[in-house]
Amino acid sequence: MADPLVLAARRVLEAHWDDERGYCVPNPAVYPHLWLWDSCFHAVAWAALGEAERAGRELRRALGHQLASGFVPHMAYAGPPGARRGPLASVSSFTQPPVYAHAAAVVARAAGGGPDADVVARVCRGLEHLWATRRTPEGLLVVHHPWETGADATPRWDDHRRPTGGPWDRDGATRWEEELVDSATYDAEGVVAANPRFGVAPAAFNAVAAHGAAALAALTGDGTWARRAQALAEAVDAHLWDPDEGLWRDLPTATAGGGGSSARTPTADALLGALVTPDAAKAAVALAQATDPERFGARFGLRYLPRSHPAYDPDAYWRGPAWPPINYLVWLAARRWGDAATAAAVAAMTRRGVLASGFAEYWNPDSGAGRGARPQSWAALAVALE
Ligand code: GLC
């Protein structure tokens, strides 16, 4: 009999698939638009289900909103946008972690017969745009809004928020996000160019970018991307490794505030340096925390913050619950290091969480109770974790 997880994952993706538009909405009621990294993860899930054609269609759709400069928007609106995300009418002026390079590699593998040339060209232009416009003096990549990391409300932003905000609450955080849309400046194309109130080189975004550059090098044989991947991975270790936490910290830019200790908050996505570090010892120290119950390990993990952390709230958006995309990326990192035990444990936690929560957007790491939108398409990623 077919695995119930696989059957349910297929049901969710099928139900959320819009054949005319060529992508899955994350959730029809709560998230009715296209989101960049969500669609990349949907492509990975489609590929794991043996649906290479739909995997390719969804990835092409997500990259199809690329602007002439190479910039890839984090959203494309399927109707009234619901919120302001910059001056552009039909797409966001912000981006999201460039998971599209990894997704292109997964889709190419699933399809066989070599990568789609147009997809590869778009991935290349997307990464070029980041390398051309986002590099810090340290050689890291900077983001100009929390949305660009995908981890919209992580406690890592708390020092950026503190001058105006009190204790964290969802409505206040949403208002702050809107203020940051207003404080940003935009280039002639309508793409965010800077933000005097928010600027940070996040460990997770940089790790995903370096991992993507390496994937692109493997797809194309282009040595430039191999060198860029290596240089970025080295910069991540040199500037972001935090020996006290055994994780990679974020680096706020001096002019945009946020210079306090919140950039070092131990969050599950701070493990993602293990995707790219050349240093086996750092990877081992970080990955051991994925299963440690005092850190991110939990029956329905990964816990986004250790439960002893003052900001920990197991039910609040990006303040403690487990998130399928983070679990998938940590699983990839464990696999990269041949750490089969951690990979298997992360896969098991993810499967339990997805099933217990009813394919939720995120879930309580102790009870598995679903939080946020339900069902959410990216929970189908659990089928990709062997
Ligand atoms: C939330 C998440 C973001 C995701 C979006 C759609 O905004 O923080 O990462 O892309 O929802 O699922």
Side-chain angles (χ1 to χ4, degrees):
M1 211 185 96
D3 179 347
L5 179 78
V6 171
L7 288 176
R10 184 179 287 282
R11 252 195 325 270
V12 169
L13 288 185
E14 292 282 5
H16 292 180
W17 174 255
D18 182 328
D19 199 50
E20 207 171 300
R21 295 208 176 94
Y23 66 90
C24 286
V25 292
N27 174 279
V30 185
Y31 298 111
H33 308 288
L34 177 146
W35 267 265
L36 175 60
W37 82 331
D38 294 63
S39 276
C40 294
F41 290 121
H42 304 162
V44 170
W46 280 125
L49 289 169
E51 298 267 0
E53 201 267 329
R54 262 194 290 201
R57 263 185 86 188
E58 178 137 14
L59 181 59
R60 283 197 299 279
R61 200 76 198 94
L63 289 167
H65 297 283
Q66 184 165 46
L67 303 188
S69 63
F71 172 82
V72 190
H74 105 281
M75 287 178 66
Y77 310 132
R84 277 174 300 108
R85 299 180 192 89
L88 299 170
S90 59
V91 296
S92 161
S93 294
F94 301 90
T95 193
Q96 261 184 337
V99 186
Y100 44 78
H102 167 70
V106 171
V107 168
R109 206 162 46 236
D116 179 305
D118 183 53
V119 165
V120 172
R122 285 177 182 273
V123 168
C124 187
R125 288 172 45 228
L127 294 187
E128 278 290 359
H129 187 269
L130 290 176
W131 258 256
T133 64
R134 299 299 187 97
R135 298 226 298 148
T136 70
E138 296 83 10
L140 296 164
L141 302 174
V142 69
V143 301
H144 302 307
H145 195 285
W147 292 333
E148 296 204 298
T149 66
D152 303 16
T154 171
R156 286 198 161 196
W157 313 148
D158 285 358
D159 284 331
H160 273 100
R161 220 172 35 81
R162 236 160 238 149
T164 50
W168 189 86
D169 72 275
R170 180 90 187 245
D171 290 345
T174 302
R175 276 196 304 280
W176 180 63
E177 288 172 355
E178 286 169 1
E179 287 167 27
L180 294 181
V181 172
D182 295 335
S183 63
T185 57
Y186 300 89
D187 69 14
E189 207 180 23
V191 169
V192 66
N195 199 335
R197 285 187 53 196
F198 188 89
V200 51
F205 188 99
N206 278 274
V208 168
H211 182 245
L216 181 59
L219 282 172
T220 57
D222 182 344
T224 303
W225 283 110
R227 282 189 296 280
R228 285 176 174 174
Q230 192 186 339
L232 182 52
E234 284 168 5
V236 165
D237 272 4
H239 300 286
L240 305 182
W241 176 249
D242 177 352
D244 299 333
E245 295 287 353
L247 295 168
W248 288 266
R249 52 167 287 154
D250 292 354
L251 186 67
T253 61
T255 53
S261 61
S262 75
R264 299 181 50 199
T265 309
T267 54
D269 52 0
L271 294 168
L272 292 179
L275 273 174
V276 296
T277 177
D279 183 342
K282 289 188 176 69
V285 166
L287 287 171
Q289 300 174 55
T291 49
D292 179 349
E294 297 309 316
R295 299 295 275 176
F296 310 110
R299 179 154 174 78
F300 304 95
L302 303 173
R303 213 184 280 288
Y304 188 67
L305 284 178
R307 66 182 143 199
S308 58
H309 194 278
Y312 178 64
D313 178 342
D315 297 307
Y317 190 65
W318 290 113
R319 314 289 291 189
W323 289 79
I326 306 302
N327 284 18
Y328 173 72
L329 294 169
V330 170
W331 173 83
L332 277 184
R335 298 259 297 199
R336 172 186 181 226
W337 288 100
D339 183 350
T342 299
V346 172
M349 290 188 248
T350 308
R351 277 196 295 271
R352 278 196 291 269
V354 165
L355 286 171
S357 72
F359 282 69
E361 179 187 1
Y362 53 100
W363 56 81
N364 179 303
D366 294 310
S367 66
R371 298 289 177 251
R374 203 171 354 153
Q376 178 90 345
S377 302
W378 69 16
L381 263 180
V383 296
L385 277 65
E386 293 141 26

